[in-house]
Amino acid sequence: MSENHKECQDCGWRGMDAELDRTDEASDGQSHPFCPDCGGTEIIDLKPDDIQTDPES
């Protein structure tokens, strides 16, 4: 089981879904993720092909 990788469209931050900050501003009780670096709300899911891993040296 793998976590979803995310990217912030505002600043380019990449990380895991669990790293995102969340806020409960909605009256329906849903939380909305925002970037831990810049606070942006334009967070997208990365496709596995978009995720670059550093090869071990």
Side-chain angles (χ1 to χ4, degrees):
M1 185 167 66
S2 64
E3 276 192 74
N4 293 331
H5 291 269
K6 305 291 186 176
E7 179 177 310
C8 175
Q9 294 294 286
D10 293 329
C11 72
W13 171 88
R14 285 187 175 192
M16 305 298 260
D17 184 57
E19 296 176 70
L20 293 172
D21 291 327
R22 298 188 185 276
T23 183
D24 285 329
E25 289 182 3
S27 59
D28 58 5
Q30 291 184 338
S31 64
H32 299 282
F34 59 96
C35 177
D37 282 351
C38 75
T41 57
E42 295 297 319
I43 307 295
I44 63 166
D45 291 326
L46 289 178
K47 294 178 271 185
D49 293 343
D50 293 339
I51 301 166
Q52 297 178 6
T53 57
D54 294 329
E56 292 185 26
S57 310

